[in-house]
């Protein structure tokens, strides 16, 4: 009985202020540079990850570095971080170790990113707008921690905080999905959804600060 009561209390605390929504056709807009605007994503399951596939779409006119997806645990900074150093250069951090992907500068417009990684080989694969940027090795044998804070719009320097406005995202993000396994990215389409960890069609989230939800402009 005591364990059941604790579980109910934990759920109530976790769900306070949380929204559950099908966001197909919608975007999160981060209208201006700040260290206060972000969206916390609540995963559908909490489990250690020995592999994953992450896909998202975004638009920005930033020329400085910025974070796209920040996943921190209490014990590890940059447990999973997708970061743009500059146009055409993407840093994937796993357990605070970086795999750097360099590609051509993309034309002005929205971008579709998909990245996968598996612990057994340590191989990470990144695709941008349906084209591969190659494979890199990072953190072979590693396991991502389960109890994570997952943030859009800011880069965490601590668990759920430590935000720097100069690394904040300004623009629009949508169609975010995370799976607990590797998907064949060459088959990933522009409208693929259904992540079993994070699913844009059934997203649990809490927005903070100046964040606006609007209909998307691009398809």
């Amino acid at each position: 009985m005591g364990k059941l009561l604790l579980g109910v209390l934990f759920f109530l605390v976790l769900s306070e202020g949380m929204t559950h929504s099908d966001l197909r056709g919608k975007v999160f807009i981060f209208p201006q540079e700040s260290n206060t605007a972000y969206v916390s994503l609540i995963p559908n399951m909490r489990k250690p990850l020995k592999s994953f596939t992450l896909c998202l779409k975004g638009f920005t006119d930033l020329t400085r570095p910025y974070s796209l997806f920040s996943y921190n645990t209490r014990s590890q900074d940059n447990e999973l971080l997708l970061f743009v150093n500059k146009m055409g250069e993407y840093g994937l951090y796993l357990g605070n170790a970086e795999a750097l992907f360099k590609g051509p500068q993309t034309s002005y417009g929205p971008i579709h990113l998909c990245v996968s990684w598996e612990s057994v080989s340590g191989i990470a694969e990144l695709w941008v707008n349906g084209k591969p940027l190659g494979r890199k090795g990072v953190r072979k044998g590693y396991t991502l921690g389960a109890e994570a804070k997952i943030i859009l719009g800011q880069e965490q320097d601590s668990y759920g905080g430590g935000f720097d406005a100069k690394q904040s995202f300004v623009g629009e993000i949508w169609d975010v999905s995370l799976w607990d396994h590797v998907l064949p990215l060459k088959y990933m389409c522009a409208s693929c959804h259904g992540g079993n960890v994070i699913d844009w069609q059934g997203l649990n989230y809490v927005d903070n600060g100046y964040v606006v939800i609007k209909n998307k402009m691009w398809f």
Side-chain angles (χ1 to χ4, degrees), residues 173-187:
I173 292 179
W174 66 99
D175 287 357
V176 182
S177 285
L178 178 66
W179 292 261
D180 67 348
H181 53 276
V182 172
L183 295 172
L185 297 187
K186 66 180 179 180
Y187 299 122

Side-chain angles (χ1 to χ4, degrees), residues 71-73 75-81 92-99 138-139 142-144 155-157:
Y71 176 120
N72 268 24
T73 62
S75 61
Q76 182 61 68
D77 186 30
N78 297 336
E79 185 77 287
L80 165 54
L81 172 66
L92 173 66
Y93 292 81
L94 297 172
N96 212 28
E98 183 186 22
V138 59
R139 280 294 200 175
Y142 192 68
T143 300
L144 302 183
E155 193 272 314
Q156 303 174 75
D157 284 331

